[in-house]
CSV table of all heavy atoms in Angstrom, one decimal:
chain,number,residue,atom,x,y,z
A,910,ILE,N,-151.4,-25.5,33.7
A,910,ILE,CA,-150.4,-24.5,34.2
A,910,ILE,C,-151.1,-23.4,34.9
A,910,ILE,O,-150.7,-23.0,36.0
A,910,ILE,CB,-149.7,-23.9,33.0
A,910,ILE,CG1,-148.9,-25.0,32.2
A,910,ILE,CG2,-148.8,-22.8,33.4
A,910,ILE,CD1,-148.2,-24.6,31.0
A,911,ILE,N,-152.3,-23.0,34.4
A,911,ILE,CA,-153.1,-21.9,35.1
A,911,ILE,C,-153.6,-22.4,36.5
A,911,ILE,O,-153.4,-21.7,37.5
A,911,ILE,CB,-154.2,-21.5,34.2
A,911,ILE,CG1,-153.7,-21.0,32.9
A,911,ILE,CG2,-155.0,-20.4,34.9
A,911,ILE,CD1,-154.8,-20.7,31.9
A,912,SER,N,-154.2,-23.6,36.5
A,912,SER,CA,-154.7,-24.1,37.8
A,912,SER,C,-153.6,-24.3,38.8
A,912,SER,O,-153.7,-24.1,40.0
A,912,SER,CB,-155.6,-25.3,37.5
A,912,SER,OG,-154.8,-26.4,37.0
A,913,THR,N,-152.5,-24.9,38.3
A,913,THR,CA,-151.4,-25.2,39.2
A,913,THR,C,-150.8,-23.9,39.7
A,913,THR,O,-150.4,-23.8,40.9
A,913,THR,CB,-150.3,-25.9,38.4
A,913,THR,OG1,-150.8,-27.2,37.9
A,913,THR,CG2,-149.1,-26.2,39.3
A,914,GLY,N,-150.7,-22.8,38.9
A,914,GLY,CA,-150.2,-21.6,39.4
A,914,GLY,C,-151.0,-20.9,40.4
A,914,GLY,O,-150.5,-20.5,41.5
A,915,VAL,N,-152.3,-21.0,40.3
A,915,VAL,CA,-153.2,-20.4,41.3
A,915,VAL,C,-153.2,-21.2,42.6
A,915,VAL,O,-153.1,-20.7,43.7
A,915,VAL,CB,-154.7,-20.4,40.7
A,915,VAL,CG1,-155.6,-19.9,41.8
A,915,VAL,CG2,-154.8,-19.4,39.5
A,916,LEU,N,-153.3,-22.6,42.4
A,916,LEU,CA,-153.3,-23.4,43.6
A,916,LEU,C,-151.9,-23.4,44.3
A,916,LEU,O,-151.8,-23.6,45.5
A,916,LEU,CB,-153.7,-24.9,43.2
A,916,LEU,CG,-155.1,-25.0,42.8
A,916,LEU,CD1,-155.3,-26.4,42.2
A,916,LEU,CD2,-156.1,-24.7,43.9
A,917,TYR,N,-150.9,-23.3,43.5
A,917,TYR,CA,-149.5,-23.2,44.0
A,917,TYR,C,-149.4,-22.0,45.0
A,917,TYR,O,-148.8,-22.1,46.0
A,917,TYR,CB,-148.5,-23.0,42.9
A,917,TYR,CG,-147.1,-23.3,43.2
A,917,TYR,CD1,-146.6,-24.5,43.4
A,917,TYR,CD2,-146.2,-22.2,43.3
A,917,TYR,CE1,-145.2,-24.8,43.6
A,917,TYR,CE2,-144.8,-22.4,43.6
A,917,TYR,CZ,-144.4,-23.7,43.8
A,917,TYR,OH,-143.0,-23.9,44.0
A,918,ARG,N,-150.0,-20.9,44.6
A,918,ARG,CA,-150.0,-19.7,45.4
A,918,ARG,C,-150.9,-19.8,46.7
A,918,ARG,O,-150.5,-19.4,47.7
A,918,ARG,CB,-150.5,-18.5,44.6
A,918,ARG,CG,-150.6,-17.2,45.3
A,918,ARG,CD,-149.2,-16.6,45.7
A,918,ARG,NE,-149.3,-15.3,46.4
A,918,ARG,CZ,-149.4,-15.2,47.7
A,918,ARG,NH1,-149.5,-16.3,48.5
A,918,ARG,NH2,-149.5,-14.0,48.2
A,919,ILE,N,-152.0,-20.5,46.5
A,919,ILE,CA,-153.0,-20.6,47.6
A,919,ILE,C,-152.5,-21.6,48.6
A,919,ILE,O,-152.5,-21.4,49.9
A,919,ILE,CB,-154.4,-21.0,47.1
A,919,ILE,CG1,-154.9,-19.8,46.2
A,919,ILE,CG2,-155.3,-21.3,48.3
A,919,ILE,CD1,-156.2,-20.2,45.5
A,920,ILE,N,-152.1,-22.8,48.2
A,920,ILE,CA,-151.8,-23.9,49.1
A,920,ILE,C,-150.4,-23.8,49.7
A,920,ILE,O,-150.2,-23.9,50.9
A,920,ILE,CB,-152.0,-25.3,48.4
A,920,ILE,CG1,-153.5,-25.5,47.9
A,920,ILE,CG2,-151.6,-26.4,49.3
A,920,ILE,CD1,-153.7,-26.7,47.1
A,921,LEU,N,-149.4,-23.6,48.8
A,921,LEU,CA,-148.0,-23.6,49.3
A,921,LEU,C,-147.6,-22.2,49.7
A,921,LEU,O,-146.5,-22.0,50.2
A,921,LEU,CB,-147.1,-24.1,48.2
A,921,LEU,CG,-147.3,-25.6,47.8
A,921,LEU,CD1,-146.3,-26.0,46.7
A,921,LEU,CD2,-147.2,-26.5,49.0
A,922,LYS,N,-148.4,-21.2,49.5
A,922,LYS,CA,-148.1,-19.8,49.9
A,922,LYS,C,-146.9,-19.3,49.3
A,922,LYS,O,-146.1,-18.5,49.9
A,922,LYS,CB,-148.0,-19.7,51.4
A,922,LYS,CG,-149.1,-20.3,52.2
A,922,LYS,CD,-150.4,-19.6,52.0
A,922,LYS,CE,-151.5,-20.2,52.8
A,922,LYS,NZ,-152.9,-19.6,52.6
A,923,LYS,N,-146.6,-19.7,48.0
A,923,LYS,CA,-145.4,-19.2,47.3
A,923,LYS,C,-145.8,-18.2,46.3
A,923,LYS,O,-146.7,-18.5,45.4
A,923,LYS,CB,-144.7,-20.4,46.7
A,923,LYS,CG,-144.1,-21.4,47.7
A,923,LYS,CD,-143.2,-22.4,47.0
A,923,LYS,CE,-142.6,-23.3,48.0
A,923,LYS,NZ,-141.7,-24.4,47.4
A,924,LYS,N,-145.2,-17.1,46.3
A,924,LYS,CA,-145.5,-16.0,45.4
A,924,LYS,C,-144.9,-16.2,44.0
A,924,LYS,O,-143.7,-16.5,43.9
A,924,LYS,CB,-145.0,-14.7,46.0
A,924,LYS,CG,-145.5,-13.4,45.2
A,924,LYS,CD,-145.0,-12.2,45.9
A,924,LYS,CE,-145.5,-10.9,45.1
A,924,LYS,NZ,-145.1,-9.7,45.7
A,925,LEU,N,-145.7,-16.0,43.0
A,925,LEU,CA,-145.2,-16.1,41.6
A,925,LEU,C,-144.9,-14.7,41.1
A,925,LEU,O,-145.5,-13.7,41.5
A,925,LEU,CB,-146.2,-16.7,40.7
A,925,LEU,CG,-146.7,-18.2,41.1
A,925,LEU,CD1,-147.8,-18.6,40.2
A,925,LEU,CD2,-145.5,-19.1,41.1
A,926,SER,N,-143.9,-14.6,40.3
A,926,SER,CA,-143.4,-13.3,39.7
A,926,SER,C,-144.4,-12.8,38.7
A,926,SER,O,-145.3,-13.5,38.2
A,926,SER,CB,-142.1,-13.5,39.1
A,926,SER,OG,-142.1,-14.3,37.9
A,927,GLU,N,-144.3,-11.5,38.4
A,927,GLU,CA,-145.2,-10.9,37.4
A,927,GLU,C,-145.0,-11.5,36.0
A,927,GLU,O,-146.0,-11.7,35.3
A,927,GLU,CB,-145.0,-9.4,37.4
A,927,GLU,CG,-145.3,-8.7,38.6
A,927,GLU,CD,-145.1,-7.2,38.5
A,927,GLU,OE1,-144.6,-6.7,37.5
A,927,GLU,OE2,-145.4,-6.4,39.5
A,928,ILE,N,-143.8,-11.9,35.8
A,928,ILE,CA,-143.5,-12.6,34.5
A,928,ILE,C,-144.2,-13.9,34.4
A,928,ILE,O,-144.7,-14.3,33.3
A,928,ILE,CB,-142.0,-12.7,34.3
A,928,ILE,CG1,-141.3,-11.4,34.2
A,928,ILE,CG2,-141.7,-13.6,33.0
A,928,ILE,CD1,-139.8,-11.4,34.1
A,929,GLN,N,-144.2,-14.6,35.5
A,929,GLN,CA,-144.9,-15.9,35.5
A,929,GLN,C,-146.4,-15.8,35.3
A,929,GLN,O,-147.0,-16.5,34.5
A,929,GLN,CB,-144.6,-16.7,36.8
A,929,GLN,CG,-143.2,-17.2,36.9
A,929,GLN,CD,-142.9,-17.8,38.2
A,929,GLN,OE1,-143.2,-17.3,39.3
A,929,GLN,NE2,-142.3,-19.0,38.2
A,930,TRP,N,-147.0,-14.8,35.9
A,930,TRP,CA,-148.5,-14.6,35.8
A,930,TRP,C,-148.8,-14.1,34.3
A,930,TRP,O,-149.8,-14.5,33.7
A,930,TRP,CB,-149.0,-13.5,36.7
A,930,TRP,CG,-149.1,-14.0,38.1
A,930,TRP,CD1,-148.5,-13.6,39.3
A,930,TRP,CD2,-150.0,-15.0,38.6
A,930,TRP,NE1,-148.9,-14.3,40.4
A,930,TRP,CE2,-149.8,-15.2,40.0
A,930,TRP,CE3,-150.9,-15.9,37.9
A,930,TRP,CZ2,-150.5,-16.1,40.7
A,930,TRP,CZ3,-151.7,-16.8,38.7
A,930,TRP,CH2,-151.5,-16.9,40.1
A,931,ALA,N,-147.9,-13.3,33.8
A,931,ALA,CA,-148.1,-12.8,32.4
A,931,ALA,C,-148.0,-14.0,31.4
A,931,ALA,O,-148.7,-14.1,30.4
A,931,ALA,CB,-147.0,-11.8,32.0
A,932,ALA,N,-147.1,-15.0,31.8
A,932,ALA,CA,-147.0,-16.2,30.9
A,932,ALA,C,-148.3,-17.0,31.0
A,932,ALA,O,-148.7,-17.6,30.0
A,932,ALA,CB,-145.8,-17.0,31.4
A,933,PHE,N,-148.9,-17.0,32.2
A,933,PHE,CA,-150.2,-17.8,32.3
A,933,PHE,C,-151.2,-17.2,31.4
A,933,PHE,O,-152.0,-17.9,30.8
A,933,PHE,CB,-150.6,-17.8,33.7
A,933,PHE,CG,-149.7,-18.5,34.7
A,933,PHE,CD1,-149.7,-18.3,36.0
A,933,PHE,CD2,-148.9,-19.6,34.2
A,933,PHE,CE1,-148.9,-19.0,36.9
A,933,PHE,CE2,-148.1,-20.3,35.0
A,933,PHE,CZ,-148.1,-20.0,36.4
A,934,ILE,N,-151.3,-15.8,31.4
A,934,ILE,CA,-152.3,-15.1,30.6
A,934,ILE,C,-152.0,-15.4,29.1
A,934,ILE,O,-153.0,-15.7,28.3
A,934,ILE,CB,-152.3,-13.6,30.9
A,934,ILE,CG1,-152.7,-13.4,32.3
A,934,ILE,CG2,-153.2,-12.9,29.9
A,934,ILE,CD1,-152.6,-11.9,32.7
A,935,LEU,N,-150.8,-15.3,28.7
A,935,LEU,CA,-150.4,-15.6,27.3
A,935,LEU,C,-150.8,-17.0,26.9
A,935,LEU,O,-151.2,-17.3,25.8
A,935,LEU,CB,-149.0,-15.4,27.1
A,935,LEU,CG,-148.5,-13.9,27.1
A,935,LEU,CD1,-147.0,-13.8,26.9
A,935,LEU,CD2,-149.2,-13.1,25.9
A,936,LEU,N,-150.7,-17.9,27.9
A,936,LEU,CA,-151.0,-19.3,27.6
A,936,LEU,C,-152.5,-19.5,27.4
A,936,LEU,O,-152.9,-20.3,26.5
A,936,LEU,CB,-150.5,-20.2,28.8
A,936,LEU,CG,-150.8,-21.7,28.6
A,936,LEU,CD1,-150.0,-22.2,27.4
A,936,LEU,CD2,-150.3,-22.4,29.9
A,937,CYS,N,-153.3,-18.8,28.1
A,937,CYS,CA,-154.8,-18.8,27.9
A,937,CYS,C,-155.1,-18.3,26.5
A,937,CYS,O,-155.9,-18.9,25.8
A,937,CYS,CB,-155.5,-17.9,28.9
A,937,CYS,SG,-155.7,-18.6,30.6
A,938,ALA,N,-154.4,-17.2,26.1
A,938,ALA,CA,-154.7,-16.7,24.7
A,938,ALA,C,-154.2,-17.8,23.7
A,938,ALA,O,-154.9,-17.9,22.7
A,938,ALA,CB,-153.9,-15.4,24.5
A,939,GLY,N,-153.1,-18.4,24.0
A,939,GLY,CA,-152.6,-19.4,23.0
A,939,GLY,C,-153.6,-20.6,22.9
A,939,GLY,O,-153.8,-21.1,21.8
A,940,CYS,N,-154.1,-21.0,24.1
A,940,CYS,CA,-155.1,-22.2,24.1
A,940,CYS,C,-156.3,-21.8,23.2
A,940,CYS,O,-156.8,-22.7,22.4
A,940,CYS,CB,-155.5,-22.5,25.5
A,940,CYS,SG,-154.2,-23.3,26.5
A,941,THR,N,-156.8,-20.6,23.4
A,941,THR,CA,-158.0,-20.2,22.6
A,941,THR,C,-157.7,-20.1,21.1
A,941,THR,O,-158.4,-20.5,20.3
A,941,THR,CB,-158.5,-18.9,23.2
A,941,THR,OG1,-158.8,-19.0,24.6
A,941,THR,CG2,-159.8,-18.5,22.4
A,942,THR,N,-156.5,-19.5,20.8
A,942,THR,CA,-156.2,-19.3,19.4
A,942,THR,C,-156.0,-20.6,18.7
A,942,THR,O,-156.4,-20.8,17.5
A,942,THR,CB,-154.8,-18.5,19.3
A,942,THR,OG1,-155.0,-17.2,20.0
A,942,THR,CG2,-154.5,-18.3,17.9
């Protein structure tokens, strides 16, 4: 999800919302926990 979100922004030039980026960060925390 994280890699797709970053590459989605870089390759397809589509902007993600702040809520979506926050969800990515929470997912990282969930993976570690």
Side-chain angles (χ1 to χ4, degrees):
I910 299 179
I911 302 171
S912 64
T913 300
V915 174
L916 294 170
Y917 194 77
R918 177 69 178 88
I919 296 174
I920 298 177
L921 296 182
K922 309 297 183 182
K923 293 187 178 181
K924 186 177 181 180
L925 301 176
S926 66
E927 295 180 357
I928 296 178
Q929 288 175 314
W930 284 117
F933 294 158
I934 296 175
L935 289 175
L936 183 59
C937 282
C940 290
T941 304
T942 301

